[in-house]
Amino acid sequence: MKTTTLALAVLTLSFGMGLGARSASAQCAAEVCTNNSVTIGNDQATLECVRYDYPGAGQSTWYYTISSGSGPAISHVNFSLNLDCMSILDAGIWGPGLNHLNSGGGDPEIRFSPDPTTGVIGLKFDEEFDDGESRNYYFTLDGNYQQSEMMLIVTKGGPGFDGAMICGPSADCLEIADCPGPCEAPENITVTQLTPRSVLIEWDDDECAAGWRICAREMGTGAKVCHIRTGSEKVFYNLTPGNTYHFAVRTNCLDGSKSPWSAPVSYTVPTLRLEAPAIETWSLFPNPASSQVNVSWTEGAQQVQIRVQDITGALQANFEMEAKGAAGQHSISTQNLTDGMYFVTIIRDGQVESRHLTIQH
């Protein structure tokens, strides 16, 4: 297992001399993410500031506050960073102000291989919290990386751990100079029916997008509902049979601007019909599930795809396999999913069916 503990003496030599000269001019960059503060199980994490060209030209420093809940308190914190294309130059504790950096504080450790308890590659702060305690962590990277809503942060406490997506450095290592202006309106918006009353909306991804705002308008009443997404898809549930909806998407750009709205896509929900009960062709067990759930299907399909989504429509897992006409079964680990309601969708040769799944650890 390859790990690197940040040496305080080396980092102080590299960074300590430059702080005073740049402290007056360095400012926090504009926030471009919608998830700067997130709940992680019983804990809380907040991105307080990003400073570009700090402490040196072409470097960025990221400031976070981590607050531990109770029962159990945090034992260590992991930030998932793409070490294949970025380097961590410094890490430690900050405060009482942004210019007060304690290099090496919090026992930071760079992990090039997965952390044995959380599986995270990136940066680990390996110190224990007290119940209700808050700590300020920072890290400095070798580039002015864009803010992205897709950085995973994990807190470990007791036998388990929790994770959430928070605003952090671009996982693709895109720098702010790579997307200097406004981004484009989303293209290739598609509507896929999942159930008689739910649809999946998908559109082209954009590396210069911090996220998207998608809206559905019911044309008969004019009622509109909108959601903010970090991925290029959204499931809409409880649509009214026989009604027509218009879906449109707008990009929230990494530079803080917003794109024009996409051209609306129209969809009419089929009218419900009374039909004979369907033959049971697939099963989901156990339900509720704790550590894993099994999806089994009868013979007949050549291709099988299984999707697991949370109640917001966010995709949590996706599996594709060749059935070759045979019956089969696939087991899905649920240990990293939080308790609650999910949707499991099976797509067999283009035929789509969804069911509810409850996870109770």
Side-chain angles (χ1 to χ4, degrees):
M1 179 178 296
K2 180 181 178 184
T3 61
T4 301
T5 300
L6 295 171
L8 176 59
V10 175
L11 293 172
T12 302
L13 177 63
S14 301
F15 291 91
M17 297 177 64
L19 285 175
R22 297 186 58 86
S23 61
S25 60
Q27 301 292 330
C28 295
E31 294 182 355
V32 300
C33 301
T34 61
N35 61 341
N36 292 294
S37 184
V38 297
T39 299
I40 314 172
N42 293 324
D43 311 316
Q44 190 77 21
T46 301
L47 171 63
E48 303 287 358
C49 178
V50 182
R51 299 172 85 176
Y52 289 120
D53 289 323
Y54 186 83
Q59 300 167 357
S60 58
T61 300
W62 303 71
Y63 298 78
Y64 291 85
T65 297
I66 311 298
S67 300
S68 179
S70 59
I74 295 173
S75 60
H76 62 260
V77 180
N78 291 82
F79 295 85
S80 179
L81 301 170
N82 187 353
L83 300 184
D84 290 334
C85 56
M86 66 176 59
S87 296
I88 302 172
L89 303 179
D90 187 16
I93 294 176
W94 65 274
L98 296 177
N99 294 329
H100 295 82
L101 305 183
N102 176 11
S103 181
D107 196 13
E109 183 181 87
I110 302 174
R111 298 204 60 89
F112 294 93
S113 58
D115 179 71
T117 56
T118 64
V120 174
I121 295 174
L123 180 62
K124 175 181 180 181
F125 287 92
D126 195 8
E127 65 172 353
E128 296 184 357
F129 287 59
D130 292 328
D131 286 351
E133 182 180 8
S134 295
R135 293 184 180 171
N136 298 328
Y137 292 140
Y138 78 91
F139 51 84
T140 298
L141 303 176
D142 62 338
N144 283 323
Y145 297 109
Q146 297 175 7
Q147 300 174 52
S148 167
E149 302 193 351
M150 299 303 291
M151 186 186 76
L152 175 66
I153 183 171
V154 173
T155 57
K156 174 75 168 65
F161 61 88
D162 295 289
M165 293 297 182
I166 192 172
C167 189
S170 164
D172 297 324
C173 297
L174 290 171
E175 298 198 38
I176 55 177
D178 296 331
C179 297
C183 49
E184 302 294 330
E187 297 181 342
N188 298 323
I189 301 173
T190 60
V191 182
T192 302
Q193 182 179 1
L194 297 180
T195 69
R197 300 185 63 181
S198 66
V199 294
L200 169 66
I201 314 297
E202 297 178 288
W203 56 91
D204 287 348
D205 203 351
D206 185 346
E207 64 181 10
C208 292
W212 292 269
R213 181 177 176 85
I214 177 170
C215 294
R217 183 185 295 276
E218 199 278 296
M219 300 310 296
T221 64
K224 183 173 72 171
V225 59
C226 297
H227 298 274
I228 299 295
R229 305 299 300 154
T230 56
S232 54
E233 63 177 17
K234 175 71 177 80
V235 176
F236 284 86
Y237 299 96
N238 300 319
L239 304 181
T240 303
N243 285 8
T244 298
Y245 293 81
H246 282 182
F247 299 95
V249 190
R250 183 180 69 190
T251 307
N252 295 329
C253 311
L254 282 169
D255 67 351
S257 64
K258 303 181 188 302
S259 78
W261 284 96
S262 68
V265 175
S266 178
Y267 175 78
T268 301
V269 183
T271 302
L272 296 178
R273 297 178 298 172
L274 294 176
E275 299 178 346
I279 299 175
E280 187 73 13
T281 57
W282 68 289
S283 60
L284 186 69
F285 63 95
N287 190 9
S290 175
S291 59
Q292 72 174 33
V293 62
N294 302 300
V295 180
S296 63
W297 58 90
T298 57
E299 61 185 12
Q302 297 298 312
Q303 300 287 332
V304 173
Q305 179 182 4
I306 300 171
R307 299 164 59 94
V308 180
Q309 295 166 284
D310 62 23
I311 58 174
T312 70
L315 184 65
Q316 301 296 322
N318 182 60
F319 308 94
E320 298 183 21
M321 59 209 79
E322 291 188 10
K324 298 181 179 179
Q329 177 175 303
H330 185 77
S331 297
I332 303 171
S333 174
T334 59
Q335 292 181 340
N336 292 336
L337 298 178
T338 57
D339 288 2
M341 182 73 72
Y342 293 80
F343 296 91
V344 177
T345 300
I346 186 169
I347 305 173
R348 295 175 297 160
D349 293 345
Q351 298 297 313
V352 181
E353 297 178 73
S354 297
R355 294 181 186 172
H356 292 93
L357 168 66
T358 300
I359 295 180
Q360 296 177 351
H361 294 296

